[in-house]
Amino acid sequence: MMARSHPSIPVSPVDIFQVSLQHRLNTRRAWQTRRTRKREIDTRYYASSNAGQSYTHLANRQAFYRHKIIPRQLVDTNLRDTSTTIFGHKVSAPIGFAPIGINKIYHPAGELPVATVAKELNLPYCLSTAGSSPIEAVAAANGDGPRFFQLYMPHDDELTISLLTRAHESGFTACILTTDTWQLGWRHDDVATGNYAFYRGIGADLGLIDPVFRKRLQAAGIDPEMQPQEAGALWIDNVWHGRAHSWEKMPWLIKTWKEISRGKPFCLKGIQSVDDAKRAVEVGCDGIVVSNHAGRQVDGAIASLDALENIVAAVGDKTYVMYDSGIRGASDVAKALALGARFVWVGRLWVWGLSIMGEAGVRHVMKSLLADFDIFMNVAGFQSVEQIDRSALGGFMYAVLRR
């Protein structure tokens, strides 16, 4: 274990001031510039929009508010360890870069600076099928960092096999199928503004170079160089196609990935019910991500944190349970761990950093989160991630439940 008596990823007050100042100077100018570009996607809407009236997004945050940390005193935290292990990878903290699509609407370099920072910080990076950079280029940017591939599964088995093969050959060591987004949820701002990048020829690079998809383009008579909008539309109609898959497809997918990857882990992302968690174990999933897509798919859904504890109680000893949705700081990470998650994915935090300052913004946000987590362990009295368990939580709600 890596012992240390200071934050593992130091962030100085000068760094924080400089980034904050640069943010104030640049943000308003950047939004004004983007709005003058007739065909520009509104990245602010896409990053912050939620399903319906945002009730699920609100529920995610309220769930974190209800749980309270009980700090432990006189614990020797001068030697503490933020690291953990996920699917055989020793990483700096139980925190990963969640899959977010079309990064090029936030920054011209797309996913590449994000993958670079993930490797630098030794945190897992998960690439979305809806990514706007080729799988191979993202792998090169990530170097020898731990990386996973998030799959939006087409209804084209040959295309699915091609995507998984490219991911495996590019060093992605786990497949995570997202189960809650066969089509995008009803997000008012995006619908009102037609805020869909692929239909405007933006961000489909991951698919456009795929050999199988190139055959589909040729069969449809579409030249991706001359007809980027039509090519992007055909790609997204293969990814967010609006036609659900079922549990009956899972044995084929798991078997296919295992054969391609020589047995690498397979996970489902989007689990919110105990029954689905049990079914995931039955079909052979190595892990699940308890997630409601950050409130972006079903309005009025259960908060991910509220779903987590019962799911852990049901299958936590049978599969690797991860958490996603609503994380904003280190105490949120700790609360998810205390309720039984073994790993936490973060999305909006780093994408905001990317949109403001590119690679530097991603680095600042994630180094700050790591420092926050290290300091949290120090002041709350935890020497290791494993010590953050159910006993770390209390407060009024727990007193009521015990009556």
Side-chain angles (χ1 to χ4, degrees), residues 164-358:
L164 294 180
T165 299
R166 290 172 61 200
H168 167 65
E169 291 178 350
S170 297
F172 290 80
T173 58
C175 175
I176 301 178
L177 174 71
T178 292
T179 61
D180 59 10
T181 314
W182 310 125
Q183 73 172 59
L184 299 181
W186 184 267
R187 306 169 190 171
H188 289 293
D189 290 332
D190 287 339
V191 172
T193 59
N195 204 38
Y196 300 103
F198 293 113
Y199 293 111
R200 303 192 186 191
I202 301 170
D205 300 43
L206 187 151
L208 295 185
I209 71 163
D210 188 273
V212 172
F213 188 69
R214 297 286 291 193
K215 291 194 299 183
R216 305 294 183 263
L217 288 170
Q218 185 177 17
I222 297 173
D223 182 338
E225 282 71 38
M226 301 299 295
Q227 300 169 282
Q229 293 187 22
E230 291 83 353
L234 185 62
W235 169 244
I236 201 58
D237 287 345
N238 273 272
V239 175
W240 292 325
H241 38 65
R243 293 174 290 139
H245 288 289
S246 69
W247 285 105
E248 285 67 33
K249 187 71 173 181
M250 293 305 99
W252 175 85
L253 179 60
I254 295 171
K255 179 175 181 290
T256 299
W257 168 249
K258 295 286 186 178
E259 289 176 351
I260 290 171
S261 68
R262 301 184 184 91
K264 298 282 193 304
F266 178 89
C267 309
L268 294 182
K269 178 178 180 287
I271 301 299
Q272 297 167 74
S273 78
V274 169
D275 286 345
D276 284 344
K278 290 179 178 178
R279 192 76 179 268
V281 172
E282 290 172 3
V283 298
C285 293
D286 301 289
I288 59 173
V289 184
V290 178
S291 169
N292 58 31
H293 216 95
R296 290 163 64 79
Q297 284 301 100
V298 178
D299 195 26
I302 186 173
S304 287
L305 199 70
D306 288 339
L308 176 62
E309 189 170 17
N310 287 337
I311 288 174
V312 169
V315 302
D317 60 341
K318 302 177 182 70
T319 193
Y320 191 91
V321 179
M322 297 165 276
Y323 179 84
D324 167 271
S325 296
I327 298 290
R328 295 294 181 268
S331 67
D332 294 340
V333 173
K335 290 172 184 179
L337 296 176
L339 290 171
R342 297 174 64 184
F343 193 84
V344 172
W345 295 98
V346 174
R348 277 175 164 149
L349 293 183
W350 66 256
V351 88
W352 289 331
L354 177 68
S355 67
I356 295 168
M357 291 190 69

Side-chain angles (χ1 to χ4, degrees), residues 36-67:
T36 64
R37 296 171 61 187
K38 184 177 179 181
R39 289 169 51 116
E40 181 64 71
I41 293 297
D42 195 322
T43 60
R44 174 179 51 180
Y45 278 158
Y46 193 77
S48 61
S49 64
N50 304 302
Q53 299 177 78
S54 292
Y55 289 152
T56 307
H57 174 265
L58 177 62
N60 282 336
R61 293 306 305 147
Q62 288 177 331
F64 281 107
Y65 299 151
R66 287 195 299 273
H67 295 278

